[in-house]
């Protein structure tokens, strides 16, 4: 059936709730209303009190979820916009993430935190970031980001089954995207496994979430051919698949909806450069957002996001000159 | 008066007059309706939180607050901004992401700001503005001003940590700040009884030994008096005050919300207490305003807001450089 | 009884007997003193927060809490851990970072944990354990247990957001949890009057419609009764309870602290109400315990704790692999 | 005079407070007690109410500092241990950092947040991280980390004078380290300027905070010669100095007290690889901590931190084999 990404997420949670009575869903307006982004629609009707609306208190209900997870439940918590973790981060990365370690393995925290991320929807500076940087590097947690209905369904199911805290960052620009999908166990996607979407010889394009489509569009119309990899899980990321691809192509371009400074792609670049330096035929390139708050005006927000034609320009430049042409905002005439 | 030839401070000062308060409430109502209409026409990106039904809170706040005072409010801030002096063009320009907007279109509906009228950048994070207002009050006093801090927030915000920490700090430090809670009974789609142990939120002030009270938010006259007394107390006597304003939003939480979650009859009952009707009827019955006068006032305001709509629709978007300006004192890149 | 031949659950069960409670309070006192002594000898890294003076709270808690209950407490948790059943060797082993420690030495003084006695990993972040206990109570109930959640925290923690959000959530969701506030009048080096509007913190429960009361924390007998009643209420009737325990720490906030900030005379006044003396004297006056019996009890406990000190001093540190174990279900690296 | 780093910080704040009456100091026990780490000793005595103890409410007093900074004060806020930002991060990176942008430059937030960071003191998993990753990548803020009394004094003074939010991360292992220093204006260190500590030909060692000494020790006794650079400011970092050095040495090794995943060094590596690929003569190498919570036991905590002999081994290996020998925990026999 054709499912929007938010419907696929609801389906994934539903299937885990049917299979496991310990799975519960908590968040602001996730019950009757089915969530602000409609990613929990139908769950309250089917599972009643296992799906609960919370007061506006992320620290409170995320902390409660940590306690519930420590005592046998598998809470799936919705953080409506990922920025709201800024009032509750402690419970996720300082408490939940360390609980297994600080109990010598006795206490586990099978907690899932779902947060909507990303720009392109006109929500402004405080509701448009991806903020994976708050999470990556925190020992004890896993971080995943779907790029479609299929991957959203597959990842949320793995996340719920995982015995450690897993954060699923959902690109809100994709919630309404439709994809044909028959929800079933074989669509479960193991955490830590990336997907090779297209095969090519000239360059490896590492993508995640909303930039998967950006890179595919660029690759489709390009003069060059690329391995386009959808990373899917950011922590731990699939080193093997990435290394194998770059060993083959000799060129690495990371396409990130994340700032030039502190974006997740730097980790990939650093690992590749350390492991595969001898096989690199050209500089690594990161196509990112500029280091600015996400602007509201549609014209600016569109420029803020990594664009497929910018990906094309970057790879073209890399292949032609053997050098990086640098980020667009350093090239842009009107900004001189 | 036309927005064009009037400064924001003039607009603020005008509120000393009750007819001007009625006019301002009408302006807020028409502006919010225009925003919803432009939304329907696909002219507005993202979201927008309008405040129809709560206009009396905005004008009363702007009437009793001096320009020395510093106000923090939320994404539901169009009415407060207009009452404090911002023009419809500036508000709607920001909502549409145009250069004429409050901050040039880089912020949007949730992010208005105007230093000259004492409005700090509005907050899109629930509760965040509460401790900020406490600090702003300290800043004003250290600067030798008799200004106070004013934190405007909703009923739902009283459940978040920043509320608790902000009120406790203001109490132990004796900070001159008014905590103004707009209790419109809903936090997004959840009614207060499902998220909070009781509806009389002013009771929470006792946990901090803060003098607290509830007031009617629909009658602009009584609200100006009662809020005025609290502002005076905060300005002249040590420590903060907590005021719970009982009000109601006649519209959904944000554009897309049709508010199916309302209790039946609740909306009608509250619409019976439309703040614009209450003040308009009283001014008319007192003979302050004639029927025709009232009608022409409404026409004037509607026309003025429509002019502003035309202006912002025709206004250009910010240019690319705006995206990189004002990130830090140094230029970004 | 010697720690070696006694399970943690036996140690817990033993507290049904008042003499055992006295013995446990003595054990806590000696253990904390030993930790401070080892600190002075440079054997302990980092910091350690001991609880001399608050022992009655620990034994009363462990007496009225069933092993179905789940407890969250803080870095000042040695006494609670010992009372709940953890042995001095396990506690001091962790404080010294040895393999015999509660979690094998990777945690230290602030991080004890024992699933079997219902103690979740202790919290080094003020307030963090409060919402966690709320969720733990929900988890227990969903598992069909009649266990409740217990959040133990200090007076200073009542000023932080997690306290507010945790109590509000427990109230609106009717969660069976006891919020146990150890009001020892100080948060680190700051006396409560400088950080909080009033000292009777149980008054804060009203902001959440949570039944709340203050109890004396120095008399183990009355505390067991009063705390027991609150636990029963939380277990049998819907919703949480808030108990403020009036107590005092006879030592500094942490090892390096000599507590110069105390009000003069305050320490002496409180030492007059040493929980160990109060229960010991009463048991003796009641003839439950003879003078010699009491003296030998003190000798036994001192000897037993000294044995534990010798054990942990001789114990090996964790091996390198311990650093990489238990990061996630998968092995790190 | 010989000053410990905490004394140098107090001296820096004192000098700015004398020069500017709008500078205030807020934090838990920073007044009478002079701070848990004694970095504000003497300030309350000299400046009275301008130095205030706060309730335990980081969100509350950090938020209040944002408001005070928006209205003319220059608050210096102490976050005792950087982990405590986990209960208050919103006010720093989502509010303060965006205020200038969200007011079109009308409202500025000259706020300084001081936080103690780092392992090696036996404070355990929740009091020993550096967590610069929560901050780097947030537009609008600056992030600096001193490595000594002199640099602590110089950076805190610049931080207080800066018109934007600045976070100063203070390695707590260095608070007690003494250095000869005459507090005065010429010791002010501009934000964004790194320092070249030693000059060499074989490799560029990028260091920060506590790893400065680690790298210097390694370089002092090594068979090779190195440019050792103390980054001092992490956002914005000194691209020019780093690029110039790597152009010269052709080799880059970053020594970080930060995890292998998400550590700050990846950004440096990515920028260098993109800009100077042609000049790199060997793979880039990151010497970091393992991806685990900071262990308490002294023996483990010592292994957790990047050690100077590990730096030596890494550079030796790089020069001998032209490849990275990989992190120690992947080489360690006992962990196989
Ligand atoms: C920390 C945080 N959590 C959740 C949200 C999403 N959100 C935006 S408005 C809102 C409801 C707030 O209700 P209330 O405080 O009563 O204000 P009102 O909208 O009624 O004016 C919520 C939950 C947010 N912006 N910030
Ligand atoms: C969020 C946070 N802020 C600050 C600290 C530092 N700190 C540790 S204990 C403490 C005092 C806590 O006082 P109280 O809650 O009364 O507990 P007590 O130590 O008296 O048992 C402080 C401020 C912390 N651990 N966590
Ligand atoms: Mg509301
Ligand atoms: Mg205390």
């Amino acid at each position: 059936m054709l499912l929007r990404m938010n419907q696929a997420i609801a389906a994934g949670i539903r299937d885990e709730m049917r299979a496991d009575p310990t799975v519960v869903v908590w968040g602001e307006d996730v019950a009757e209303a089915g969530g602000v982004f409609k990613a929990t629609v139908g769950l309250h009707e089917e599972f009643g009190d296992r799906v609960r609306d919370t007061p506006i208190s992320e620290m409170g209900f995320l902390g409660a979820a940590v306690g519930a997870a420590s005592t046998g439940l598998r809470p799936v918590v919705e953080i409506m916009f990922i920025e709201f973790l800024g009032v509750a981060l402690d419970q996720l990365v300082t408490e939940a993430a360390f609980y297994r370690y600080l109990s010598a393995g006795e206490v586990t925290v099978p907690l899932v935190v779902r947060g909507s991320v990303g720009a392109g929807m006109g929500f402004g500076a405080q509701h448009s970031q991806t903020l994976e940087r708050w999470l990556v590097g925190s020992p004890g947690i896993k971080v995943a980001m779907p790029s479609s209905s299929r991957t959203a369904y597959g990842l949320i199911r793995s996340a719920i089954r995982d015995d450690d805290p897993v954060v699923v960052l959902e690109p809100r620009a994709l919630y309404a995207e439709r994809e044909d999908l028959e929800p079933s166990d074989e669509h479960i996607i193991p955490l830590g496994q990336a997907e090779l979407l297209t095969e090519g010889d000239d360059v490896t394009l590492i993508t995640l979430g909303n930039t998967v489509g950006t890179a595919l569009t660029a690759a489709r119309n390009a003069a060059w051919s690329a391995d386009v990899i959808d990373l899917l899980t950011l922590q731990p990321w699939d080193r093997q698949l990435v290394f194998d691809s770059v060993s083959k192509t000799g060129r690495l371009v990371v396409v990130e909806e994340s700032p030039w400074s502190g974006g997740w792609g730097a980790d990939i670049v650093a690992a590749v450069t350390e492991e595969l330096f001898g096989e690199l035929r050209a500089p690594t390139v990161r196509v990112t957002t500029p280091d600015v708050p996400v602007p509201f005006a549609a014209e600016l927000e569109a420029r803020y996001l990594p664009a497929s034609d910018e990906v094309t320009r970057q790879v073209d430049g890399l292949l032609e000159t053997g050098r990086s042409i640098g980020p667009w905002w350093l090239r842009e005439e009107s900004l001189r | 008066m036309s927005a064009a030839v009037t400064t924001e401070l003039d607009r603020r000062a005008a509120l000393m007059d009750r007819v001007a308060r009625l006019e301002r409430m009408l302006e807020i109502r028409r502006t919010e309706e225009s925003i919803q209409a432009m939304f329907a026409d696909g002219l507005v990106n993202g979201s927008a939180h309008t405040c129809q039904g709560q206009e009396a809170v905005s004008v009363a706040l702007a009437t009793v607050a001096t320009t020395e005072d510093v106000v923090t409010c939320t994404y539901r801030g169009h009415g407060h901004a207009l009452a404090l002096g911002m023009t419809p063009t500036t508000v709607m320009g920001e909502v549409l992401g145009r250069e004429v907007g409050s901050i040039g279109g880089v912020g949007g509906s949730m992010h208005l700001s105007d230093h000259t009228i004492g409005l700090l950048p509005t907050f899109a994070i629930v509760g965040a503005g509460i401790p900020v207002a406490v600090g702003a009050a300290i800043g004003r006093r250290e600067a030798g001003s008799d200004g106070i801090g004013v934190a405007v927030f909703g009923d739902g915000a009283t459940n978040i940590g920043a509320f608790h920490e902000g009120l406790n700090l203001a109490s132990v430090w004796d900070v001159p700040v008014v905590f103004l809670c707009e209790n419109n009974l809903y936090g997004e789609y959840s009614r207060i009884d499902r998220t909070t142990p009781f509806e009389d939120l002013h009771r929470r002030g006792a946990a901090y030994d803060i003098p607290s009270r509830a007031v009617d938010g629909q009658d602009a006259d009584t609200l100006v008096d009662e809020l005025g007394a609290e502002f005076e107390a905060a300005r002249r006597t040590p420590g903060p005050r907590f005021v719970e304003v009982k009000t109601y939003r006649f519209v959904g939480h944000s554009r897309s919300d049709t508010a199916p979650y309302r209790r039946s009859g609740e909306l009608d009952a509250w619409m019976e207490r439309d703040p614009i009707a209450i003040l308009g009827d009283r001014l008319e019955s007192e003979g302050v305003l004639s029927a025709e006068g009232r009608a022409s006032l409404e026409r004037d305001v509607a026309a003025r807001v429509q002019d502003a709509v035309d202006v912002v629709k025709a206004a250009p978007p910010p240019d690319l450089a705006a995206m990189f300006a004002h990130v830090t004192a140094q230029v970004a890149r």
Side-chain angles (χ1 to χ4, degrees), chain A residues 246 250-252 269 272-274 276-284:
Chain A
V246 176
R251 297 188 187 82
L252 173 67
V269 169
V272 164
T273 308
E274 182 156 352
L276 303 175
F277 181 71
E279 280 135 292
L280 278 178
R281 292 192 274 154
T284 55

Side-chain angles (χ1 to χ4, degrees), chain A residues 76-93:
Chain A
V76 179
V77 168
E78 176 172 299
I79 298 293
M80 198 185 301
F81 287 77
I82 200 65
E83 279 85 354
F84 308 163
L85 261 189
V87 303
L89 194 62
D90 178 73
Q91 286 291 345
L92 177 57
V93 303

Side-chain angles (χ1 to χ4, degrees), chain B residues 85-100:
Chain B
M86 197 176 288
T87 65
T89 307
T90 311
V91 170
M92 293 188 289
E94 193 57 45
V95 172
L96 260 65
R98 304 299 163 92
E99 218 170 53
V100 293

Side-chain angles (χ1 to χ4, degrees), chain B residues 8-318:
Chain B
E8 303 195 314
L9 293 178
D10 294 336
R11 283 170 52 80
R12 177 71 158 277
L15 295 179
M16 286 306 113
D17 170 49
R18 289 168 69 211
V19 174
R21 290 175 203 160
L22 174 63
E23 180 178 22
R24 191 63 52 85
M25 289 198 288
L26 283 163
E27 181 186 273
I28 294 169
R29 180 72 55 95
R30 298 289 160 264
T31 300
E32 296 289 49
E33 288 168 351
S34 303
I35 288 170
Q36 291 184 310
M38 290 189 285
F39 226 118
D41 299 347
L43 288 170
V44 184
N45 254 349
S47 191
H49 309 78
T50 61
C51 68
Q52 293 97 312
Q54 306 182 197
E55 294 90 347
V57 186
S58 298
V59 294
L61 160 66
T63 302
V64 304
T66 75
T67 50
E68 284 294 294
D69 300 340
V70 180
V71 178
T72 66
C73 71
T74 75
Y75 47 85
R76 200 176 305 285
H78 306 162
H80 303 319
L82 289 164
L84 289 168
M86 197 176 288
T87 65
T89 307
T90 311
V91 170
M92 293 188 289
E94 193 57 45
V95 172
L96 260 65
R98 304 299 163 92
E99 218 170 53
V100 293
S102 169
I103 59 171
V106 300
S109 173
M110 300 199 283
H111 299 294
L112 305 173
S113 174
D114 191 338
H115 210 46
T116 56
I117 55 176
L119 179 64
L120 283 178
T122 57
F123 292 79
I125 304 296
V126 167
I130 299 174
V132 172
V134 174
I138 296 170
R140 301 301 292 128
R141 290 304 165 107
E142 291 299 324
S145 159
D146 75 341
I148 64 173
V150 183
V152 185
F153 52 91
D155 46 288
T158 68
N159 294 324
I160 204 158
F163 165 86
H164 180 68
E165 298 188 14
L167 269 69
N168 185 68
L169 188 66
S171 175
V172 294
W173 281 6
D174 273 335
V175 180
V177 54
V178 173
F179 298 108
L180 180 50
C181 177
E182 292 185 278
N183 185 351
N184 62 11
L185 298 178
Y186 290 86
E188 228 168 57
Y189 316 147
S190 296
R191 200 175 184 289
I192 186 169
D193 52 282
R194 318 233 344 281
T195 60
T196 312
F198 45 79
E199 296 192 8
D200 288 326
L201 297 176
H202 61 278
R203 282 176 47 199
R204 292 195 148 169
Y208 318 97
D209 268 354
I210 296 178
S212 308
R213 62 181 294 200
V215 300
D216 170 19
Q218 304 312 93
D219 184 331
D221 286 331
T222 57
L223 190 53
V224 164
D225 294 344
E226 295 172 312
L227 209 53
E230 296 300 321
F231 271 61
E232 263 319 284
R235 202 180 302 283
R236 308 285 164 228
T237 61
R241 320 284 294 193
F242 181 26
V243 184
E244 175 196 4
V245 180
K246 307 279 194 184
T247 185
Y248 198 77
R249 58 168 155 78
F250 294 170
V251 294
H253 166 69
S254 59
R255 40 102 181 180
S256 52
D257 174 29
T258 56
Y261 45 77
R262 293 188 199 275
R263 285 190 179 170
S264 69
E266 196 177 57
L267 178 59
D268 298 339
W270 278 93
M271 301 248 305
E272 288 300 307
R273 305 209 60 246
D274 185 326
I276 294 175
I278 290 174
L279 183 58
D281 294 350
R282 188 177 299 125
L283 289 172
E284 204 176 321
S285 65
E286 288 176 359
V288 178
L289 199 59
S290 68
E292 315 78 71
R294 185 176 175 185
S296 71
L297 187 70
E298 291 176 5
R299 276 194 307 278
D300 290 355
V301 171
R304 189 153 22 91
V305 172
Q306 186 53 50
D307 292 346
V309 166
D310 300 338
V311 169
V312 296
K313 279 184 177 174

